[in-house]
């Protein structure tokens, strides 16, 4: 059994500086890649929900070579507290 995907995103962010949705998806693909809801749109919703709940913050944004917006998020102290409180140590990155 693994973490719910939104908590897995937060857990991944706990051990990385600033990340974008593609980096998180690449890291989580071995565990979640076969799920129907494993798509960029849903994972971007995870980032926005985590931000709305005060667990992560927008760190930076830029346009890639194809003019796609890349948004990098960073976990904050409340997010780290949530990981410490709700994520079993066996899932720690």
């Amino acid at each position: 059994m693994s973490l719910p995907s939104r908590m897995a995103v937060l857990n991944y962010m706990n051990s990385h500086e600033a990340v974008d949705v593609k980096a998180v998806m690449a890291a989580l693909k071995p565990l979640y890649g076969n799920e129907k809801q494993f798509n960029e749109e849903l994972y971007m919703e995870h980032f926005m929900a985590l931000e709305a709940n005060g667990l992560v913050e927008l760190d930076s944004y830029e346009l890639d070579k194809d003019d796609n917006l890349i948004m990098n998020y960073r976990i904050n102290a409340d997010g780290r507290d949530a990981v410490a409180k709700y994520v079993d140590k066996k899932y720690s990155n």
Side-chain angles (χ1 to χ4, degrees):
M1 189 164 127
S2 55
L3 293 171
S5 57
R6 187 165 296 165
M7 187 55 76
V9 169
L10 190 63
N11 186 46
Y12 178 81
M13 294 176 76
N14 193 41
S15 60
H16 295 81
E17 281 296 315
V19 297
D20 67 75
V21 68
K22 289 183 184 207
V24 171
M25 289 183 72
L28 298 180
K29 187 173 184 172
L31 292 172
Y32 300 91
N34 292 328
E35 294 181 359
K36 184 178 180 182
Q37 60 269 32
F38 188 78
N39 61 68
E40 196 169 322
E41 183 178 333
L42 180 66
Y43 273 68
M44 194 63 219
E45 286 182 27
H46 289 333
F47 277 81
M48 292 186 308
L50 291 167
E51 181 181 28
N53 285 299
L55 302 174
V56 302
E57 301 165 354
L58 182 63
D59 182 68
S60 64
Y61 57 91
E62 61 189 327
L63 293 176
D64 69 9
K65 63 181 172 71
D66 297 320
D67 288 332
N68 296 312
L69 181 62
I70 306 298
M71 297 170 40
N72 295 293
Y73 287 85
R74 173 184 307 276
I75 192 169
N76 61 27
D78 289 339
R80 291 187 193 288
D81 289 345
V83 169
K85 184 174 182 180
Y86 297 113
V87 176
D88 191 301
K89 296 295 181 208
K90 69 181 176 182
Y91 296 112
S92 294
N93 288 326

